[in-house]
Amino acid sequence: MLIKLSKKDMHTCTVLGNDTVKICEMQGFPPRLENKNQTREEANIEGYKGEFAVARLFDLDEPTFNITSDFGADLWWNDSSIDVKTTKTKDLIFDSMEKFKSDIAVLARPTDQPDVIEVGKWISRIEFEHKHHLHDYGYGERLVMKYNELRDIESLWKQMKIKTLSPRN
């Protein structure tokens, strides 16, 4: 599903992405990612765009700025934590199961339009733990699920509504 972010959202993502890097630098931490294709600021801005797109799609609270860490939870849907992974690839990748701390991971992807994000697929932590496979991208083995192995984003809405609204016996 394609989500168009507002000018305000785009501005907020830019500010949050740049502030995150600046705070790290002020604390003496080197940026976690620098490569010839993308600066750490650009990567953070893209990450916030993915988080805002998921928040807008499901009417969730906006992501917040975290100085130390978000501890693996970008968004919350009632008591369920969501880690939004924004990437240009179609693979959902985690370094380890210890790094997958949320209840749910959502895969988001930038598009050719800077203000449009594709919110594609999702998976629960439990399902990922049982279905992932290992892949080495050249910097050690990672836990991976391919795009077509993940669940359609519409089913997340349905599952969360059932969890929230169904009568309890």
PDB file of all heavy atoms in Angstrom, residues 10 17 20-21 30-31 43 46 51 68 72 85 87 89 102 125 127 140 142 145 154 163:
ATOM      1  N   MET A  10       7.037  15.118   6.374  1.00  0.00           N
ATOM      2  CA  MET A  10       8.350  15.122   5.720  1.00  0.00           C
ATOM      3  C   MET A  10       9.336  16.006   6.480  1.00  0.00           C
ATOM      4  O   MET A  10      10.493  15.639   6.681  1.00  0.00           O
ATOM      5  CB  MET A  10       8.218  15.591   4.267  1.00  0.00           C
ATOM      6  CG  MET A  10       7.468  14.614   3.375  1.00  0.00           C
ATOM      7  SD  MET A  10       8.390  13.102   3.097  1.00  0.00           S
ATOM      8  CE  MET A  10       9.691  13.745   2.030  1.00  0.00           C
ATOM      9  N   GLY A  17      15.609  12.813  11.789  1.00  0.00           N
ATOM     10  CA  GLY A  17      16.748  12.074  11.236  1.00  0.00           C
ATOM     11  C   GLY A  17      18.068  12.782  11.470  1.00  0.00           C
ATOM     12  O   GLY A  17      19.065  12.171  11.863  1.00  0.00           O
ATOM     13  N   THR A  20      18.941  12.953  15.337  1.00  0.00           N
ATOM     14  CA  THR A  20      19.429  11.678  15.859  1.00  0.00           C
ATOM     15  C   THR A  20      20.933  11.558  15.639  1.00  0.00           C
ATOM     16  O   THR A  20      21.683  11.199  16.561  1.00  0.00           O
ATOM     17  CB  THR A  20      18.694  10.496  15.189  1.00  0.00           C
ATOM     18  OG1 THR A  20      17.295  10.610  15.463  1.00  0.00           O
ATOM     19  CG2 THR A  20      19.209   9.165  15.689  1.00  0.00           C
ATOM     20  N   VAL A  21      21.400  11.863  14.440  1.00  0.00           N
ATOM     21  CA  VAL A  21      22.827  11.778  14.138  1.00  0.00           C
ATOM     22  C   VAL A  21      23.604  12.808  14.951  1.00  0.00           C
ATOM     23  O   VAL A  21      24.662  12.500  15.511  1.00  0.00           O
ATOM     24  CB  VAL A  21      23.084  11.944  12.628  1.00  0.00           C
ATOM     25  CG1 VAL A  21      24.572  12.030  12.325  1.00  0.00           C
ATOM     26  CG2 VAL A  21      22.448  10.798  11.864  1.00  0.00           C
ATOM     27  N   PRO A  30      30.177   7.219  16.977  1.00  0.00           N
ATOM     28  CA  PRO A  30      30.241   7.361  15.517  1.00  0.00           C
ATOM     29  C   PRO A  30      28.922   6.921  14.894  1.00  0.00           C
ATOM     30  O   PRO A  30      28.226   6.077  15.454  1.00  0.00           O
ATOM     31  CB  PRO A  30      31.371   6.407  15.121  1.00  0.00           C
ATOM     32  CG  PRO A  30      31.439   5.401  16.228  1.00  0.00           C
ATOM     33  CD  PRO A  30      30.973   6.116  17.478  1.00  0.00           C
ATOM     34  N   PRO A  31      28.576   7.479  13.738  1.00  0.00           N
ATOM     35  CA  PRO A  31      27.355   7.031  13.063  1.00  0.00           C
ATOM     36  C   PRO A  31      27.422   5.529  12.781  1.00  0.00           C
ATOM     37  O   PRO A  31      28.490   5.000  12.478  1.00  0.00           O
ATOM     38  CB  PRO A  31      27.343   7.832  11.763  1.00  0.00           C
ATOM     39  CG  PRO A  31      28.225   9.002  12.023  1.00  0.00           C
ATOM     40  CD  PRO A  31      29.242   8.539  13.017  1.00  0.00           C
ATOM     41  N   ALA A  43      19.694   7.758   5.930  1.00  0.00           N
ATOM     42  CA  ALA A  43      19.129   6.484   6.393  1.00  0.00           C
ATOM     43  C   ALA A  43      18.134   6.712   7.520  1.00  0.00           C
ATOM     44  O   ALA A  43      17.063   6.098   7.552  1.00  0.00           O
ATOM     45  CB  ALA A  43      20.244   5.543   6.848  1.00  0.00           C
ATOM     46  N   GLU A  46      14.889   8.245   6.096  1.00  0.00           N
ATOM     47  CA  GLU A  46      14.090   7.191   5.452  1.00  0.00           C
ATOM     48  C   GLU A  46      13.411   6.319   6.503  1.00  0.00           C
ATOM     49  O   GLU A  46      12.253   5.922   6.337  1.00  0.00           O
ATOM     50  CB  GLU A  46      14.957   6.328   4.525  1.00  0.00           C
ATOM     51  CG  GLU A  46      15.396   7.014   3.260  1.00  0.00           C
ATOM     52  CD  GLU A  46      14.256   7.424   2.351  1.00  0.00           C
ATOM     53  OE1 GLU A  46      13.347   6.610   2.111  1.00  0.00           O
ATOM     54  OE2 GLU A  46      14.271   8.577   1.882  1.00  0.00           O
ATOM     55  N   GLU A  51       8.286   4.824   9.472  1.00  0.00           N
ATOM     56  CA  GLU A  51       7.535   4.803  10.725  1.00  0.00           C
ATOM     57  C   GLU A  51       6.299   5.698  10.633  1.00  0.00           C
ATOM     58  O   GLU A  51       5.206   5.314  11.078  1.00  0.00           O
ATOM     59  CB  GLU A  51       8.433   5.247  11.885  1.00  0.00           C
ATOM     60  CG  GLU A  51       9.543   4.266  12.174  1.00  0.00           C
ATOM     61  CD  GLU A  51      10.571   4.785  13.151  1.00  0.00           C
ATOM     62  OE1 GLU A  51      10.280   5.765  13.887  1.00  0.00           O
ATOM     63  OE2 GLU A  51      11.682   4.209  13.207  1.00  0.00           O
ATOM     64  N   THR A  68      18.625   7.558  23.742  1.00  0.00           N
ATOM     65  CA  THR A  68      19.454   6.363  23.920  1.00  0.00           C
ATOM     66  C   THR A  68      19.093   5.289  22.918  1.00  0.00           C
ATOM     67  O   THR A  68      19.931   4.820  22.175  1.00  0.00           O
ATOM     68  CB  THR A  68      19.340   5.802  25.351  1.00  0.00           C
ATOM     69  OG1 THR A  68      17.967   5.555  25.652  1.00  0.00           O
ATOM     70  CG2 THR A  68      19.937   6.753  26.360  1.00  0.00           C
ATOM     71  N   GLY A  72      13.908  -1.323  20.180  1.00  0.00           N
ATOM     72  CA  GLY A  72      13.260  -2.208  19.225  1.00  0.00           C
ATOM     73  C   GLY A  72      11.793  -1.948  18.972  1.00  0.00           C
ATOM     74  O   GLY A  72      11.164  -2.684  18.229  1.00  0.00           O
ATOM     75  N   LYS A  85      10.816  -1.624   9.647  1.00  0.00           N
ATOM     76  CA  LYS A  85      12.086  -1.761   8.932  1.00  0.00           C
ATOM     77  C   LYS A  85      11.919  -1.137   7.558  1.00  0.00           C
ATOM     78  O   LYS A  85      11.183  -1.660   6.723  1.00  0.00           O
ATOM     79  CB  LYS A  85      12.478  -3.238   8.793  1.00  0.00           C
ATOM     80  CG  LYS A  85      12.815  -3.903  10.104  1.00  0.00           C
ATOM     81  CD  LYS A  85      14.064  -3.290  10.676  1.00  0.00           C
ATOM     82  CE  LYS A  85      14.542  -4.048  11.891  1.00  0.00           C
ATOM     83  NZ  LYS A  85      15.663  -3.382  12.528  1.00  0.00           N
ATOM     84  N   THR A  87      13.623  -0.267   4.107  1.00  0.00           N
ATOM     85  CA  THR A  87      14.764  -0.724   3.327  1.00  0.00           C
ATOM     86  C   THR A  87      14.438  -0.690   1.846  1.00  0.00           C
ATOM     87  O   THR A  87      13.271  -0.798   1.465  1.00  0.00           O
ATOM     88  CB  THR A  87      15.164  -2.158   3.749  1.00  0.00           C
ATOM     89  OG1 THR A  87      16.241  -2.602   2.934  1.00  0.00           O
ATOM     90  CG2 THR A  87      14.006  -3.125   3.634  1.00  0.00           C
ATOM     91  N   THR A  89      15.540  -2.971  -0.132  1.00  0.00           N
ATOM     92  CA  THR A  89      15.421  -4.366  -0.551  1.00  0.00           C
ATOM     93  C   THR A  89      14.026  -4.876  -0.213  1.00  0.00           C
ATOM     94  O   THR A  89      13.255  -4.205   0.468  1.00  0.00           O
ATOM     95  CB  THR A  89      16.453  -5.256   0.169  1.00  0.00           C
ATOM     96  OG1 THR A  89      16.065  -5.411   1.538  1.00  0.00           O
ATOM     97  CG2 THR A  89      17.842  -4.678   0.084  1.00  0.00           C
ATOM     98  N   SER A 102      10.426  -6.416  19.131  1.00  0.00           N
ATOM     99  CA  SER A 102       8.997  -6.087  19.086  1.00  0.00           C
ATOM    100  C   SER A 102       8.153  -7.330  18.872  1.00  0.00           C
ATOM    101  O   SER A 102       8.657  -8.382  18.511  1.00  0.00           O
ATOM    102  CB  SER A 102       8.716  -5.096  17.957  1.00  0.00           C
ATOM    103  OG  SER A 102       9.206  -3.824  18.286  1.00  0.00           O
ATOM    104  N   ARG A 125       6.946 -11.666  15.592  1.00  0.00           N
ATOM    105  CA  ARG A 125       8.249 -12.143  16.065  1.00  0.00           C
ATOM    106  C   ARG A 125       8.258 -13.666  16.163  1.00  0.00           C
ATOM    107  O   ARG A 125       9.213 -14.324  15.743  1.00  0.00           O
ATOM    108  CB  ARG A 125       8.584 -11.524  17.420  1.00  0.00           C
ATOM    109  CG  ARG A 125       9.961 -11.904  17.923  1.00  0.00           C
ATOM    110  CD  ARG A 125      10.248 -11.307  19.300  1.00  0.00           C
ATOM    111  NE  ARG A 125      11.653 -11.404  19.611  1.00  0.00           N
ATOM    112  CZ  ARG A 125      12.266 -12.520  20.008  1.00  0.00           C
ATOM    113  NH1 ARG A 125      11.591 -13.640  20.121  1.00  0.00           N
ATOM    114  NH2 ARG A 125      13.563 -12.515  20.279  1.00  0.00           N
ATOM    115  N   GLU A 127       6.448 -15.885  14.544  1.00  0.00           N
ATOM    116  CA  GLU A 127       6.467 -16.527  13.230  1.00  0.00           C
ATOM    117  C   GLU A 127       7.829 -16.372  12.558  1.00  0.00           C
ATOM    118  O   GLU A 127       8.342 -17.308  11.940  1.00  0.00           O
ATOM    119  CB  GLU A 127       5.354 -15.962  12.354  1.00  0.00           C
ATOM    120  CG  GLU A 127       5.103 -16.766  11.115  1.00  0.00           C
ATOM    121  CD  GLU A 127       3.850 -16.334  10.360  1.00  0.00           C
ATOM    122  OE1 GLU A 127       3.135 -15.406  10.804  1.00  0.00           O
ATOM    123  OE2 GLU A 127       3.585 -16.944   9.318  1.00  0.00           O
ATOM    124  N   GLY A 140      28.602 -11.318   7.339  1.00  0.00           N
ATOM    125  CA  GLY A 140      28.152 -12.278   8.344  1.00  0.00           C
ATOM    126  C   GLY A 140      26.712 -12.688   8.112  1.00  0.00           C
ATOM    127  O   GLY A 140      25.943 -11.996   7.444  1.00  0.00           O
ATOM    128  N   ARG A 142      22.847 -13.314   8.524  1.00  0.00           N
ATOM    129  CA  ARG A 142      21.712 -12.567   9.062  1.00  0.00           C
ATOM    130  C   ARG A 142      20.474 -13.450   8.967  1.00  0.00           C
ATOM    131  O   ARG A 142      20.405 -14.377   8.162  1.00  0.00           O
ATOM    132  CB  ARG A 142      21.473 -11.279   8.274  1.00  0.00           C
ATOM    133  CG  ARG A 142      22.631 -10.306   8.293  1.00  0.00           C
ATOM    134  CD  ARG A 142      22.912  -9.797   9.698  1.00  0.00           C
ATOM    135  NE  ARG A 142      23.893  -8.743   9.743  1.00  0.00           N
ATOM    136  CZ  ARG A 142      25.162  -8.899  10.056  1.00  0.00           C
ATOM    137  NH1 ARG A 142      25.628 -10.096  10.335  1.00  0.00           N
ATOM    138  NH2 ARG A 142      25.987  -7.881  10.096  1.00  0.00           N
ATOM    139  N   MET A 145      13.751 -13.144   5.957  1.00  0.00           N
ATOM    140  CA  MET A 145      12.560 -13.646   5.289  1.00  0.00           C
ATOM    141  C   MET A 145      12.356 -12.809   4.040  1.00  0.00           C
ATOM    142  O   MET A 145      12.472 -11.587   4.077  1.00  0.00           O
ATOM    143  CB  MET A 145      11.325 -13.580   6.187  1.00  0.00           C
ATOM    144  CG  MET A 145      11.291 -14.686   7.232  1.00  0.00           C
ATOM    145  SD  MET A 145       9.769 -14.708   8.203  1.00  0.00           S
ATOM    146  CE  MET A 145       8.612 -15.385   7.004  1.00  0.00           C
ATOM    147  N   GLU A 154      -2.749  -5.831   4.988  1.00  0.00           N
ATOM    148  CA  GLU A 154      -4.169  -5.767   5.370  1.00  0.00           C
ATOM    149  C   GLU A 154      -4.493  -6.765   6.486  1.00  0.00           C
ATOM    150  O   GLU A 154      -5.352  -6.507   7.321  1.00  0.00           O
ATOM    151  CB  GLU A 154      -5.063  -6.047   4.163  1.00  0.00           C
ATOM    152  CG  GLU A 154      -4.972  -5.004   3.070  1.00  0.00           C
ATOM    153  CD  GLU A 154      -3.829  -5.241   2.075  1.00  0.00           C
ATOM    154  OE1 GLU A 154      -3.026  -6.186   2.264  1.00  0.00           O
ATOM    155  OE2 GLU A 154      -3.727  -4.458   1.119  1.00  0.00           O
ATOM    156  N   LYS A 163      -7.993  -8.742  17.826  1.00  0.00           N
ATOM    157  CA  LYS A 163      -7.364  -8.780  19.161  1.00  0.00           C
ATOM    158  C   LYS A 163      -7.942  -7.696  20.064  1.00  0.00           C
ATOM    159  O   LYS A 163      -8.153  -7.918  21.252  1.00  0.00           O
ATOM    160  CB  LYS A 163      -5.846  -8.589  18.999  1.00  0.00           C
ATOM    161  CG  LYS A 163      -5.084  -8.686  20.286  1.00  0.00           C
ATOM    162  CD  LYS A 163      -3.589  -8.544  19.998  1.00  0.00           C
ATOM    163  CE  LYS A 163      -2.800  -8.565  21.287  1.00  0.00           C
ATOM    164  NZ  LYS A 163      -1.371  -8.419  21.052  1.00  0.00           N
TER     165      LYS A 163
END
